[in-house]
Amino acid sequence: MNFQVRKQKIIEQLEQDGIIDVKEIAPLLETSEITVRRDLAILAEQGLLVRTHGGAMKVSLSQMPVSFAQKSAVNAEQKDEICRKAAAQIQEGDVVFLDCGSTVFRMCPFIRNLNIKVVTNSLPIINELMGSSVSLNFAGGEIDSERQAAHGKIAVEHFQRYRADKAFVGIDGISLKNGLSASSEKEAEITMAVAQNARETYFLCDSSKLERDRYFPFAGIDFVKHLITDSRASEGLLGEYRSRRVGMIV
Amino acid sequence: MNFQVRKQKIIEQLEQDGIIDVKEIAPLLETSEITVRRDLAILAEQGLLVRTHGGAMKVSLSQMPVSFAQKSAVNAEQKDEICRKAAAQIQEGDVVFLDCGSTVFRMCPFIRNLNIKVVTNSLPIINELMGSSVSLNFAGGEIDSERQAAHGKIAVEHFQRYRADKAFVGIDGISLKNGLSASSEKEAEITMAVAQNARETYFLCDSSKLERDRYFPFAGIDFVKHLITDSRASEGLLGEYRSRRVGMIV
DNA sequence: TTATAATTGATTATTTTTGAACAAATTTAA
DNA sequence: TTAAATTTGTTCAAAAATAATCAATTATAA
């Protein structure tokens, strides 16, 4: 039995049971355990399954409960650097919009002792700032359980009812050519509502996302007045952005 | 059974019951208690649960301020009895308003597998039902950190935008003479908004609160069409309520 | 055919996971 | 409050799984 056939059978079994065991499947494939392991390593590399100690499991099962906390831990150091700078822009008494991105979420520890008013559509932010000195206002509407945030018409209208001194928005992609882009229309919708009803909008974006486009472009680069990024961004790039009148805070 | 599978089962159980016990779950996972503890430690590290002495609990439960958790535990048995009956009134496909009381909160386990739409101003309810089969809609507005809920004009207007099949409202006090009464105006305001925009409103009230008045009366007894209470309520009292055309569900 | 490359299996060393024992800490009961 | 019981952290050893290395087999191409 060659690799292709074994691959077939492994995937098949995985679809059926969700998990497989090296010891169990080796005789079924008429091969040794070490070969099975090698097969699994290859399939894991291709993203077709997730290795476990002693076997493998379906991708969907392994990723099921990815907590917000974990997502927010990706590139944690850069994000903290950005968030410290973002928080420094806020003054006591400000009314602040915060969007629902994982970067913005990390601003919480830096602002929880300020006497400000926060309007947000992010449940993790509300939970995090509950009981702090920040006065909270949640933008209601349909809840997206994946992003743990409200979205849609109602949420947009909620932001439009208020005027904020400052808004802080995480962005998925930005480039000189195509401006701002998002991974979903819903995100873009909220971003625009937030930005248009704040006196100053600060876009947060770690350096890895500079000059990267997402599938849904929704605003030109001229729309961006303040961009906060981390110190890993190249000097040349920063200069180019500045020449387009983007205020860079690095 | 390897770690990945155990992790699955632990999270599953946690979603279902809210808490788990090391002693109870160890045999279910076909492993020793020490291994379960190690698993829990890892999952706690990842923020997927919160460790307790002897087991673990859902993050959402632990984040509740003491006041709410304690309140929700007072008269727990009666409240569960009431909530089971309340949940039995709900049908698949219903749009349901839930208010922010600690009694109503306890309905969550009984409805999390229903295909319904829930509109609420309670953060604990949102956190509890997140990821369930219930479609969620949060009534936004100013957040009251003590009650962990939105209140005020915006929240009221939010409820007014929708029409629900059923509303479930906890009440602090009710009496034949003075009707419904609340401990605060804000609560009464939300209660009225919810009740007036639902086809049927069910008032939840454990028997200890019958014939007890609070400082702010806000609606006559005629306003109450359905009252759900526990079996400790005296027969005579129930009869009196029924004679005032209050539909009693005991 | 012969040389080369790819695949497989066996062996051994290393890593990971698990369970047991016991002291320390925490909770519960008196 | 103190004493008893429970739970936990820590250390160590056993077991299981894996990676690494090398030899054997099979397939491929000149």
Side-chain angles (χ1 to χ4, degrees):
Chain A
M1 198 175 304
N2 64 31
F3 173 64
Q4 304 304 334
V5 178
R6 292 199 307 271
K7 173 175 169 180
Q8 279 290 119
K9 298 217 175 211
I10 289 171
I11 301 284
E12 211 170 279
Q13 178 98 21
L14 212 53
E15 276 305 317
Q16 197 184 313
D17 298 348
I19 59 163
I20 53 172
D21 193 274
V22 171
K23 271 206 154 59
E24 277 177 22
I25 205 159
L28 293 176
L29 300 177
E30 295 164 26
T31 184
S32 68
E33 292 179 19
I34 177 98
T35 301
V36 172
R37 269 187 230 112
R38 280 199 266 246
D39 289 352
L40 294 182
I42 293 167
L43 297 175
E45 181 103 16
Q46 297 175 356
L48 295 170
L49 49 78
V50 175
R51 282 248 38 199
T52 65
H53 208 78
M57 69 196 305
K58 282 179 72 172
V59 182
S60 58
L61 284 176
S62 75
Q63 314 186 312
M64 235 225 307
V66 174
S67 77
F68 196 86
Q70 279 178 306
K71 197 173 177 186
S72 114
V74 176
N75 293 337
E77 222 167 289
Q78 283 94 297
K79 282 181 179 171
D80 276 350
E81 185 191 338
I82 292 169
C83 288
R84 243 191 309 275
K85 289 178 215 151
Q89 311 298 318
I90 300 176
Q91 287 161 19
E92 294 279 326
D94 274 350
V95 174
V96 174
F97 285 165
L98 298 181
D99 96 331
C100 58
S102 56
T103 308
V104 175
F105 170 72
R106 289 195 146 249
M107 285 178 68
C108 290
F110 303 109
I111 62 177
R112 60 174 296 126
N113 294 317
L114 300 175
N115 288 304
I116 58 175
K117 188 184 275 282
V118 161
V119 185
T120 183
N121 64 326
S122 159
L123 283 165
I125 289 179
I126 291 282
N127 286 327
E128 193 67 19
L129 293 180
M130 184 82 67
S132 71
S133 61
V134 174
S135 155
L136 293 169
N137 183 304
F138 188 78
E142 303 257 339
I143 301 292
D144 176 340
S145 71
E146 178 143 3
R147 290 219 309 282
Q148 299 222 53
H151 61 215
K153 184 166 152 266
I154 305 270
V156 167
E157 284 177 22
H158 189 107
F159 280 113
Q160 288 168 344
R161 291 179 140 207
Y162 297 93
R163 287 293 297 176
D165 297 301
K166 281 140 197 165
F168 296 87
V169 179
I171 44 179
D172 285 340
I174 184 171
S175 71
L176 288 163
K177 186 155 165 283
N178 299 309
L180 299 172
S181 54
S183 309
S184 84
E185 284 183 53
K186 289 191 179 298
E187 255 169 72
E189 192 182 42
I190 293 284
T191 300
M192 289 305 284
V194 164
Q196 285 170 341
N197 292 282
R199 207 150 46 76
E200 302 290 345
T201 300
Y202 298 83
F203 293 92
L204 275 52
C205 170
D206 68 71
S207 53
S208 69
K209 288 173 184 162
L210 293 174
E211 289 305 298
R212 221 171 59 176
D213 289 325
R214 296 292 175 161
Y215 103 101
F216 187 67
F218 62 94
I221 193 73
D222 300 339
F223 188 71
V224 180
K225 295 280 176 293
H226 309 284
L227 185 63
I228 306 183
T229 189
D230 59 84
S231 49
R232 291 195 189 180
S234 85
E235 270 309 316
L237 199 52
L238 294 176
E240 286 194 64
Y241 273 84
R242 289 209 178 87
S243 70
R244 293 292 293 272
R245 293 164 184 271
V246 175
M248 301 297 284
I249 304 172
V250 185
Chain B
M1 196 174 308
N2 64 32
F3 171 65
Q4 314 299 335
V5 178
R6 292 198 306 270
K7 170 176 169 180
Q8 283 287 125
K9 298 217 175 210
I10 289 171
I11 301 282
E12 215 169 273
Q13 179 98 22
L14 213 53
E15 274 303 319
Q16 199 183 310
D17 300 347
I19 58 163
I20 52 171
D21 192 273
V22 172
K23 272 208 155 58
E24 275 177 23
I25 205 160
L28 293 176
L29 300 176
E30 295 163 27
T31 185
S32 67
E33 292 179 18
I34 177 111
T35 301
V36 172
R37 269 187 230 111
R38 278 198 268 247
D39 288 352
L40 295 182
I42 293 167
L43 297 176
E45 180 110 13
Q46 297 177 354
L48 295 169
L49 50 78
V50 175
R51 283 247 40 197
T52 63
H53 208 78
M57 70 197 303
K58 282 183 69 173
V59 182
S60 61
L61 285 175
S62 75
Q63 281 185 345
M64 266 192 285
V66 258
S67 63
F68 195 92
Q70 281 175 336
K71 229 180 178 177
S72 152
V74 174
N75 295 335
E77 220 166 290
Q78 283 92 298
K79 281 182 179 172
D80 277 349
E81 185 191 337
I82 293 169
C83 289
R84 242 191 308 276
K85 289 177 215 151
Q89 311 299 317
I90 300 175
Q91 286 161 18
E92 293 279 325
D94 274 350
V95 174
V96 175
F97 285 166
L98 298 181
D99 97 329
C100 57
S102 55
T103 308
V104 175
F105 170 71
R106 287 190 151 253
M107 286 178 69
C108 289
F110 303 109
I111 62 176
R112 60 174 296 123
N113 294 317
L114 299 176
N115 287 305
I116 57 175
K117 188 183 274 282
V118 161
V119 185
T120 184
N121 64 324
S122 160
L123 283 165
I125 289 179
I126 291 282
N127 287 326
E128 194 64 19
L129 294 180
M130 182 86 65
S132 73
S133 61
V134 174
S135 155
L136 293 168
N137 183 305
F138 189 78
E142 303 257 339
I143 301 292
D144 176 337
S145 71
E146 177 142 4
R147 289 218 311 282
Q148 296 232 88
H151 60 216
K153 184 166 152 267
I154 305 270
V156 167
E157 284 177 21
H158 189 105
F159 280 113
Q160 288 168 343
R161 291 180 140 207
Y162 296 93
R163 289 291 297 174
D165 296 299
K166 280 139 197 164
F168 295 87
V169 180
I171 45 179
D172 285 341
I174 183 171
S175 71
L176 288 163
K177 186 154 166 283
N178 299 309
L180 298 172
S181 54
S183 310
S184 84
E185 282 183 55
K186 289 192 179 298
E187 254 168 74
E189 192 182 42
I190 292 283
T191 299
M192 288 305 284
V194 164
Q196 285 169 342
N197 292 282
R199 209 150 43 78
E200 303 289 345
T201 300
Y202 298 84
F203 292 92
L204 275 52
C205 170
D206 68 71
S207 52
S208 69
K209 287 173 184 163
L210 293 174
E211 288 306 298
R212 221 171 59 177
D213 289 325
R214 296 291 175 162
Y215 103 100
F216 188 68
F218 63 95
I221 192 74
D222 299 339
F223 189 70
V224 181
K225 295 280 177 294
H226 308 284
L227 185 63
I228 305 183
T229 188
D230 59 84
S231 49
R232 291 196 189 178
S234 85
E235 269 308 316
L237 199 53
L238 292 176
E240 287 194 64
Y241 273 84
R242 288 212 177 87
S243 70
R244 293 294 293 272
R245 292 164 184 271
V246 175
M248 300 298 284
I249 304 172
V250 186

